[in-house]
């Protein structure tokens, strides 16, 4: 392996190591298979509590208010790395709902703590929804409504998740619900794309175990429960040469040829890794370069995404990728007749740690019981969300639905349908109370 390859490999693996091991929510992988473990009965007990039933009624009565919140938050732009305005609004709303301890940290996460009754003995239970969208600055985020259908970029992913956070705080305040442990409501930054989970990463930088358990709100299907973290490695690859005239300098290295060869070699090497076992994928998301039809380009670039929940498969994809780039570079330079040699830069642009959650952890059992309490059967699956970071560190974690029906995520015509949307908030409330402990009424 060349020095260039070793450097690139170590750079990407350092990113993985920093997380002790994923936008946007990836499309569903094969369901996670598990035997049905025994429920501890906590959720069933909560369902019979009068305060919980009062809270459920409050959530249903909050429908119009929540749709107003949805429109107002969606129309505050939150492009990648520029979530400040929406974050400031979330902080103000948390304070207005009665949370006294609300802060915005160094990277922009909005953190609102609802203290439990256990004081210094209280654990911290995180409930997280991300602020950012995939849409660039300048995108028109005006919401269009037709009945119960709302259309706008980012309205489902993840403005609706933020509404769930506010609804939980509001409901618990109205119903006078107290918990033993602290509930920490977090509107995180940098979940999407090249944000690379930077908000949740930051939460773990100065504290290896800030939370006893972690609930992410990100996903449409109410029955879908993410318990496994799909990891990813992402690169920007740039082949560079001297360029020149297509006729007069023929024989110089061709960056586009090298890029095409790297794509072909990697496709051939990686495809067998995707055919069986734990799902593994790869994609060439963007390509570019060149100046004109009659020029030899001076550079050719692409962005590559590799994913799997299995660390060994992800590493195998990574090594196949590095080998393919190296072989393409060598072949291109072997064809050179004149001019300087071709070079390649490998820049890691993202690395999300994979991990398999404990399917018998109380939080998983509580979430499954909550879904069943709404008359549905849980669908355990793998995805890439803010929960990747805690899952990779062994922290009991799940990602739950934001409710309603989301369509066309990450597209300008993204939409969200208000259909039984209250059920997701009720499910999240049950899991939060099961994890934090509902304090007995007087």
């Amino acid at each position: 392996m060349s020095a260039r390859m070793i450097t690139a490999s170590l750079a990407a693996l350092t990113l993985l190591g920093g997380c002790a091991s994923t936008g946007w929510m990836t499309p569903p992988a094969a369901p996670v298979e598990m035997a049905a473990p025994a429920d501890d009965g906590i959720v069933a007990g909560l369902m019979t509590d009068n305060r919980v039933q009062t809270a459920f009624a409050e959530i249903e009565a909050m429908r119009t208010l929540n749709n107003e919140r949805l429109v107002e938050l969606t129309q505050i732009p939150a492009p990648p790395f520029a979530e400040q305005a929406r974050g400031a609004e979330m902080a103000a709303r948390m304070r207005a709902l009665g949370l006294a301890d609300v802060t915005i940290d160094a990277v922009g996460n909005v953190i609102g703590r609802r203290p439990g009754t256990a004081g210094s003995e209280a654990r911290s239970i995180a409930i997280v929804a991300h602020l950012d969208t995939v849409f660039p600055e300048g995108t028109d985020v005006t919401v269009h409504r037709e009945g119960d259908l709302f259309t706008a970029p980012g309205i489902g992913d993840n403005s609706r998740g933020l509404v769930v956070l506010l609804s939980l705080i509001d409901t618990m305040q109205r119903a006078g619900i107290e918990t033993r442990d602290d509930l920490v409501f977090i509107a995180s930054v940098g979940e999407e794309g090249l944000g690379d989970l930077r908000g949740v990463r930051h939460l773990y930088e100065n504290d290896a175990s800030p939370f006893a358990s972690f609930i992410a709100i990100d996903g449409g299907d109410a029955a879908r429960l993410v318990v496994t973290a799909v990891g990813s490695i992402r690169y920007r690859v740039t082949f560079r040469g001297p360029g020149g005239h297509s006729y007069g300098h023929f024989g110089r290295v061709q960056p586009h040829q090298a890029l095409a060869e790297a794509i072909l070699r990697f496709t051939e090497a990686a495809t067998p890794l995707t055919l069986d076992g734990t799902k593994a994928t790869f994609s060439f998301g963007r390509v570019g370069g060149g100046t004109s039809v009659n020029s030899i380009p001076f550079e050719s670039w692409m962005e590559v995404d590799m994913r799997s929940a299995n660390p060994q498969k992800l590493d195998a994809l990574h090594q196949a990728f590095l080998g393919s780039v190296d072989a393409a570079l060598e072949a291109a330079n072997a064809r050179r007749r004149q001019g300087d040699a071709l070079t390649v830069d490998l820049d890691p642009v993202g690395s999300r740690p994979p991990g398999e959650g404990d399917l018998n952890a109380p939080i998983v059992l509580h979430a499954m019981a909550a879904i069943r309490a709404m008359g549905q059967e849980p669908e355990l699956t793998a995805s890439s969300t803010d929960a990747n970071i805690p899952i990779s560190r062994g922290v009991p974690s799940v990602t739950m639905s934001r409710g309603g029906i989301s369509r066309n995520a990450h597209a300008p015509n993204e939409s969200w349908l208000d259909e039984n949307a209250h059920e997701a908030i009720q499910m999240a409330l049950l899991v939060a109370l099961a994890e934090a402990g509902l304090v007995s009424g007087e």
Side-chain angles (χ1 to χ4, degrees):
M1 182 181 287
S2 69
R4 187 267 310 149
M5 283 182 65
I6 293 172
T7 300
S9 180
L10 287 175
L13 291 178
T14 297
L15 284 170
L16 279 172
C19 300
S21 171
T22 234
W24 165 56
M25 292 279 295
T26 59
V32 175
E33 296 184 3
M34 64 173 290
D39 178 21
D40 57 16
I42 292 178
V43 169
L46 289 170
M47 288 292 292
T48 66
D49 190 283
N50 288 334
R51 290 164 298 167
V52 173
Q53 290 303 314
T54 297
F56 275 21
E58 291 281 3
I59 290 169
E60 292 192 45
M62 215 177 282
R63 179 181 182 183
T64 298
L65 174 58
N66 279 339
N67 286 338
E68 291 171 355
R69 288 167 169 159
L70 180 67
V71 172
E72 290 162 0
L73 288 170
T74 300
Q75 293 185 156
I76 302 173
F81 301 95
E83 308 97 332
Q84 296 90 336
R86 187 177 288 183
E89 178 65 18
M90 280 295 292
R93 288 177 181 247
M94 287 183 183
R95 294 187 184 103
L97 290 173
L99 295 192
D101 184 2
V102 179
T103 59
I104 299 178
D105 69 16
V107 298
N109 293 314
V110 181
I111 304 169
R113 182 176 295 271
R114 192 175 193 271
T117 61
S120 62
E121 300 299 317
R123 306 179 308 155
S124 294
I125 311 301
I127 307 176
V128 183
H130 66 85
L131 288 161
D132 57 316
T133 73
V134 300
F135 299 97
E137 190 171 357
T139 299
D140 183 358
V141 290
T142 303
V143 177
H144 301 278
R145 180 174 184 178
E146 296 181 12
D148 292 333
L149 181 67
F150 299 78
T151 303
I155 194 157
D157 188 8
N158 195 32
S159 294
R160 171 62 189 179
L162 299 175
V163 171
V164 173
L165 290 191
L166 296 175
S167 301
L168 289 171
I169 298 168
D170 197 0
T171 298
M172 295 177 73
Q173 300 290 85
R174 294 187 189 203
I177 288 175
E178 289 187 308
T179 57
R180 179 191 65 248
D181 294 322
D182 294 356
L183 289 172
V184 185
F185 296 92
I186 303 169
S188 66
V189 298
E191 191 274 343
E192 297 284 12
L194 297 182
D196 204 33
L197 310 180
R198 65 189 176 91
V200 175
R201 286 183 196 274
H202 181 76
L203 297 174
Y204 282 86
E205 282 183 359
N206 299 317
D207 188 343
S209 300
F211 308 113
S213 57
F214 189 103
I215 305 164
I217 307 296
D218 194 359
D221 189 342
R224 189 175 184 223
L225 183 65
V226 177
V227 295
T228 296
V230 175
S232 63
I233 299 175
R234 294 165 175 167
Y235 277 95
R236 183 181 174 96
V237 181
T238 307
F239 287 94
R240 289 189 171 91
H245 193 279
S246 62
Y247 185 81
H249 297 123
F250 185 76
R252 289 186 178 181
V253 288
Q254 291 266 5
H256 283 349
Q257 290 177 355
L259 191 81
E261 185 163 354
I263 290 173
L264 178 60
R265 285 177 180 266
F266 179 49
T267 299
E268 291 175 342
T271 296
L273 299 171
T274 70
L275 299 180
D276 53 35
T278 304
K279 184 174 181 178
T281 66
F282 60 93
S283 175
F284 310 97
R286 297 204 306 155
V287 297
T291 53
S292 69
V293 68
N294 61 335
S295 298
I296 298 171
F298 61 87
E299 73 171 22
S300 184
W301 59 267
M302 64 177 171
E303 290 177 350
V304 184
D305 173 274
M306 299 164 271
R307 300 187 184 215
S308 182
N310 182 291
Q312 290 73 37
K313 274 207 167 186
L314 187 58
D315 183 62
L317 284 172
H318 185 208
Q319 296 307 318
F321 163 75
L322 294 173
S324 299
V325 171
D326 202 53
L329 178 68
E330 183 177 348
N333 281 325
R335 291 190 291 268
R336 175 173 60 106
R337 301 181 198 172
Q338 60 169 296
D340 294 335
L342 194 70
T343 63
V344 65
D345 292 330
L346 287 173
D347 298 314
V349 294
S351 180
R352 300 183 176 211
E356 296 184 4
D358 179 0
L359 301 184
N360 291 293
I363 193 172
V364 176
L365 305 187
H366 296 155
M368 292 176 67
I371 293 170
R372 290 189 176 115
M374 296 296 119
Q376 302 197 53
E377 189 59 27
E379 300 171 3
L380 275 60
T381 189
S383 192
S384 179
T385 72
D386 271 335
N388 277 46
I389 302 299
I391 287 175
S392 72
R393 293 171 174 260
V395 177
S397 307
V398 293
T399 298
M400 301 185 68
S401 171
R402 54 186 168 246
I405 299 175
S406 296
R407 297 189 179 97
N408 301 322
H410 294 196
N413 64 337
E414 182 176 348
S415 67
W416 181 81
L417 179 65
D418 182 8
E419 183 175 297
N420 299 321
H422 62 280
E423 292 182 353
I425 306 171
Q426 292 170 340
M427 289 188 294
L429 177 65
L430 288 172
V431 178
L433 296 180
E435 288 295 299
L438 175 63
V439 174
S440 298
E442 295 297 334

